[in-house]
Amino acid sequence: AQKVTQAQTEISVVEKEDVTLDCVYETRDTTYYLFWYKQPPSGELVFLIRRNSFDEQNEISGRYSWNFQKSTSSFNFTITASQVVDSAVYFCALSRTSGTYKYIFGTGTRLKVLA
Amino acid sequence: DVKVTQSSRYLVKRTGEKVFLECVQDMDHENMFWYRQDPGLGLRLIYFSYDVKMKEKGDIPEGYSVSREKKERFSLILESASTNQTSMYLCASWGGQGGNQPQHFGDGTRLSIL
């Protein structure tokens, strides 16, 4: 069975602090995709990144970085120098590489960045 | 950019009513999805469709049905609304191959059943 765990329900940081959001996944598939989405207060889910299981390189995009470690089944997301606009709920998701491509979502982490 | 439009941002209905939630995408995607989002439970898949008139149950289909008469439109139907269907509903579309493209989401509909 596939499962995604985001153990941090809510995190509060002060602006300019760094923060890491954890994502741990379970799958029996040898190939799969992992995603991060952001849900601001307005409600829509905004796609941030996709990573396939073959690629364990870390990714950096501006203040955002992602650390994929297959050995620990983790795909963690770090925001450097957080800003108030980063306040949102962040979801990690897992999908297969064949079949119906359904997403399995984690329960989300609410990030509050305080000014 | 892909645009997924949900017909209502907020909706209030009464118990027992038949409720329609509409979703339209503008990218000719074959696959469309309906999720509900509840605190502490994340997003759960209700139904999805991989082609016109084709549908499959997701993880929590009970109490819901769907309709896909045209490729761009995917409707979620609450046959007889109940208070436990009060939730945030999100529609998504996807047109990729091999799962490597992200799903694109609408703004969501906050549905309250009184």
Side-chain angles (χ1 to χ4, degrees):
Chain A
Q2 296 187 311
K3 185 178 179 182
V4 175
T5 301
Q6 295 180 255
Q8 305 151 308
T9 304
E10 184 168 314
I11 302 174
S12 291
V13 298
V14 177
E15 208 170 17
K16 298 184 183 176
E17 284 186 6
D18 298 347
V19 58
T20 295
L21 309 182
D22 298 332
C23 174
V24 174
Y25 62 92
E26 296 175 29
T27 180
R28 294 178 184 168
D29 294 345
T30 54
T31 62
Y32 47 88
Y33 290 103
L34 294 162
F35 302 83
W36 274 96
Y37 281 84
K38 174 183 180 180
Q39 186 181 41
S42 51
E44 78 279 18
L45 262 73
V46 178
F47 167 69
L48 295 178
I49 191 171
R50 177 199 71 246
R51 172 67 68 225
N52 75 52
S53 53
F54 289 107
D55 184 1
E56 287 198 66
Q57 287 187 2
N58 291 334
E59 176 117 3
I60 298 175
S61 176
R63 297 184 296 107
Y64 295 173
S65 62
W66 291 268
N67 182 11
F68 174 38
Q69 292 197 331
K70 215 168 178 178
S71 60
T72 56
S73 297
S74 65
F75 186 41
N76 296 336
F77 173 30
T78 297
I79 301 174
T80 303
S82 59
Q83 299 176 2
V84 172
V85 293
D86 296 326
S87 296
V89 180
Y90 291 86
F91 289 96
C92 181
L94 169 70
S95 80
R96 316 186 80 163
T97 58
S98 62
T100 57
Y101 312 115
K102 294 191 299 182
Y103 281 19
I104 304 299
F105 280 91
T107 52
T109 297
R110 180 177 299 277
L111 174 65
K112 293 184 177 179
V113 181
L114 308 173
Chain B
D1 276 355
V2 177
K3 183 69 175 174
V4 179
T5 303
Q6 294 184 229
S7 53
S8 305
R9 292 299 303 274
Y10 300 93
L11 205 55
V12 180
K13 296 291 183 181
R14 296 209 172 271
T15 303
E17 281 193 63
K18 190 169 186 177
V19 180
F20 293 84
L21 303 183
E22 307 286 348
C23 176
V24 176
Q25 50 96 0
D26 66 355
M27 286 300 292
D28 203 36
H29 284 172
E30 293 179 345
N31 302 274
M32 296 186 74
F33 306 81
W34 275 106
Y35 296 88
R36 65 176 281 175
Q37 180 182 357
D38 300 288
L41 297 177
L43 276 75
R44 294 178 292 167
L45 182 64
I46 304 171
Y47 266 97
F48 65 99
S49 168
Y50 49 91
D51 204 346
V52 175
K53 296 189 186 294
M54 307 300 285
K55 61 186 179 184
E56 279 199 29
K57 294 180 180 179
D59 301 317
I60 52 165
E62 297 76 20
Y64 303 95
S65 63
V66 290
S67 172
R68 184 117 182 253
E69 296 297 320
K70 293 184 178 181
K71 197 173 188 179
E72 68 270 18
R73 186 179 297 271
F74 191 34
S75 302
L76 180 69
I77 304 159
L78 286 65
E79 298 289 344
S80 178
S82 64
T83 55
N84 62 12
Q85 292 178 309
T86 291
S87 187
M88 170 76 144
Y89 291 87
L90 287 153
C91 174
S93 76
W94 178 71
Q97 297 293 326
N100 65 344
Q101 296 299 316
Q103 291 183 14
H104 297 271
F105 287 81
D107 290 347
T109 296
R110 295 187 186 276
L111 175 64
S112 295
I113 306 296
L114 305 178

